[in-house]
């Protein structure tokens, strides 16, 4: 039973993490941000310019 306990303790204290998983998540998030920015960028720019013109017109 001590060998099983030792194996569990080693697995619980292992801090290497899942590097390929984190890299994949980071790349997918960056890709989604680029796609959304590309689609919504012109609309957001127009909203910003309209808001600035309204504030400047007061």
């Amino acid at each position: 039973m001590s060998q099983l306990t030792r194996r569990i303790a080693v697995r619980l204290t292992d801090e290497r993490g899942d590097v390929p998983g984190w890299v994949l998540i980071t790349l997918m998030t960056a890709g989604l941000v680029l796609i959304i920015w590309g689609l919504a960028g012109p609309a957001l720019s127009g909203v910003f310019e309209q808001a600035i013109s309204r504030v400047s017109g007061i």
Side-chain angles (χ1 to χ4, degrees):
M1 193 64 126
S2 66
Q3 185 180 16
L4 178 62
T5 307
R6 205 173 325 129
R7 285 176 141 179
I8 293 172
V10 167
R11 291 210 180 232
L12 289 176
T13 58
D14 188 15
E15 296 183 10
R16 287 183 299 165
D18 184 16
V19 175
W22 284 108
V23 170
L24 182 62
I25 289 171
T26 303
L27 290 175
M28 287 173 59
T29 303
L32 285 173
V33 167
L34 289 174
I35 290 170
I36 291 170
W37 195 340
L39 294 174
L44 291 174
S45 178
V47 169
F48 178 74
E49 290 175 10
Q50 184 181 19
I52 294 296
S53 68
R54 283 187 183 179
V55 170
S56 299
I58 293 177

